[in-house]
Amino acid sequence: MFYANPTSSRVNPFRLVYSDPHFSTVSETRDVPDFPFLVDIELTNVCNMRCIFCVQHTMKRPRGLMSQEHFRKVIDECAVHGTPVRFIRLGEPFLHPEIVAFAEYVKSKGLPLHITNNGLAISEQQMRGMIATGADSLIFSFQGATKEQYAIMRNTDRYDELKANVLRLVELRGDNPKPFIHISSTMTDETPEEIQAFVDYWGHIVDSVGIGKTNLSVLALGDIDSKQVVQQLEQLQEHETICKEYQRCSEVYQKLSVDWDGKITCCCSDYDNLMTLGDIGTDTLAEIWNNSDELRLYRDMLDRKMHKALILCSSCYHTYDEF
């Protein structure tokens, strides 16, 4: 569900991408463009949180920060095609010390820039930097509809800090047109009244609010070292409301993702190099997009609903209507 602030005149340029008929129907028509509609960049896979349901508990690949060399190569290629860029994926992007400089580089190439963050690492200096560079869109990721639900799912009592950071960015932005500020939250067994109260509060402060459902089945419980986390997940899964039906995958037809170390994958949820297609150090995104036999195979398998044959896809279910 998507709620737009009726008092906001700001337009999110990424909404134009998401609502474009070519983007939304490409997995059905297979009218694949010569270059991805979007490119997702993982500035880092390091995170400052340990949410109960997150793959940070099981991720085995090395953790690190994207180099300027890899970053610029990705952006320079995106600039040739005018392709929007998102700082997103499996770490907290505001932990990268060069995020403001990286944002400046993206905007210097005239590309739309979106950033998804958990709201607990962003500093006021970085907020000012995002406003100054003209970053187009910024999502603050919540969890649940109340402070208590947030504490359970996010495994932290820093809700008030998150709330203060959102309000501070809104204040600092003032009448500036950018960034478009969006709040997203997924629900498990929250009541309609709790969800409505959440939307009513934030819906007149930020530019839009998105509500989805929480997928608590991503992690294989046997891979988690913490018995406490396993017990918490088992209890929460009893209340899981997500619809566990496989749907046609649009991910493999819409975008590519680049890990912090330059590896290229066809899935933004690829936490352990399970669907790696190449490396930005030796390959170009265009070469991968148009010539990868592995990508063709994944598209074919997912078109035929063979999700269970792919580890990463076997627990992937639709959570948002909008994204």
Side-chain angles (χ1 to χ4, degrees):
M1 294 182 287
F2 175 78
Y3 303 87
N5 183 340
T7 66
S8 174
S9 61
R10 293 178 176 85
V11 177
N12 184 357
F14 282 81
R15 176 64 48 191
L16 303 178
V17 177
Y18 304 143
S19 61
D20 183 278
H22 191 189
F23 178 84
S24 58
T25 63
V26 65
S27 62
E28 299 173 7
T29 64
R30 300 188 185 182
D31 180 20
V32 185
D34 294 334
F35 198 76
F37 293 95
L38 299 166
V39 171
D40 287 351
I41 298 177
E42 180 187 75
L43 295 188
T44 179
N45 62 342
V46 174
C47 191
N48 56 329
M49 299 182 72
R50 283 297 180 270
C51 304
I52 288 176
F53 53 89
C54 184
V55 293
Q56 288 284 340
H57 291 289
T58 58
M59 186 188 301
K60 296 180 176 61
R61 64 185 170 105
R63 288 173 165 79
L65 303 171
M66 178 169 278
S67 69
Q68 186 177 108
E69 178 184 3
H70 281 155
F71 180 79
R72 291 199 170 211
K73 185 176 180 184
V74 174
I75 300 306
D76 289 348
E77 187 174 1
C78 288
V80 173
H81 301 274
T83 301
V85 171
R86 306 193 304 182
F87 295 170
I88 197 170
R89 299 280 314 288
L90 299 168
E92 169 49 51
F94 282 101
L95 291 177
H96 198 298
E98 296 186 78
I99 187 171
V100 174
F102 283 180
E104 289 174 346
Y105 192 72
V106 173
K107 296 309 299 177
S108 74
K109 298 294 183 177
L111 301 177
L113 172 63
H114 165 79
I115 305 171
T116 292
N117 79 120
N118 62 39
L120 294 177
I122 188 170
S123 66
E124 181 161 323
Q125 182 179 5
Q126 289 171 330
M127 292 182 192
R128 293 181 183 277
M130 292 301 109
I131 296 168
T133 60
D136 297 273
S137 170
L138 193 69
I139 282 182
F140 285 93
S141 181
F142 279 64
Q143 192 65 45
T146 68
K147 180 177 180 178
E148 293 73 25
Q149 291 154 339
Y150 176 88
I152 293 171
M153 302 299 290
R154 291 296 195 195
N155 199 22
T156 181
D157 59 359
R158 298 174 66 189
Y159 181 90
D160 290 337
E161 185 179 341
L162 166 59
K163 180 179 177 180
N165 282 341
V166 177
L167 295 175
R168 182 56 175 156
L169 179 59
V170 171
E171 179 184 18
L172 289 172
R173 183 187 62 176
D175 294 329
N176 288 296
K178 298 178 182 180
F180 185 96
I181 301 174
H182 176 84
I183 280 177
S184 69
S185 187
T186 64
M187 307 294 167
T188 304
D189 60 351
E190 286 76 0
T191 67
E193 291 76 17
E194 288 174 328
I195 295 173
Q196 191 60 54
F198 180 84
V199 172
D200 287 345
Y201 177 79
W202 287 110
H204 289 81
I205 295 174
V206 297
D207 300 302
S208 66
V209 178
I211 301 294
K213 291 188 175 182
T214 308
N215 186 354
L216 294 170
S217 301
V218 174
L219 300 180
L221 299 185
D223 294 336
I224 302 175
D225 293 331
S226 171
K227 291 183 179 180
Q228 180 182 358
V229 171
V230 171
Q231 291 173 349
Q232 289 174 307
L233 270 176
E234 287 177 336
Q235 293 172 357
L236 288 168
Q237 284 174 350
E238 295 177 3
H239 305 283
E240 192 172 34
T241 56
I242 192 171
C243 181
K244 295 186 178 181
E245 293 181 358
Y246 296 130
Q247 298 191 18
R248 183 182 291 273
C249 178
S250 57
E251 181 85 8
V252 291
Y253 285 100
Q254 293 173 337
K255 59 185 185 287
L256 288 176
S257 297
V258 184
D259 292 346
W260 71 268
D261 59 358
K263 289 186 174 61
I264 303 167
T265 176
C266 60
C267 181
C268 64
S269 298
D270 188 358
Y271 59 93
D272 259 339
N273 303 137
L274 298 170
M275 299 180 80
T276 298
L277 304 173
D279 193 298
I280 200 64
T282 55
D283 306 304
T284 68
L285 296 173
E287 289 169 348
I288 294 294
W289 186 249
N290 293 298
N291 302 316
S292 170
D293 290 334
E294 291 88 350
L295 181 54
R296 292 192 188 98
L297 176 62
Y298 292 143
R299 286 172 177 165
D300 181 62
M301 292 178 69
L302 292 169
D303 284 347
R304 291 188 285 149
K305 302 288 184 68
M306 296 176 62
H307 294 62
K308 289 185 179 180
L310 299 167
I311 294 174
L312 194 60
C313 308
S314 62
S315 60
C316 183
Y317 307 107
H318 191 58
T319 56
Y320 279 96
D321 292 331
E322 289 295 322
F323 305 108

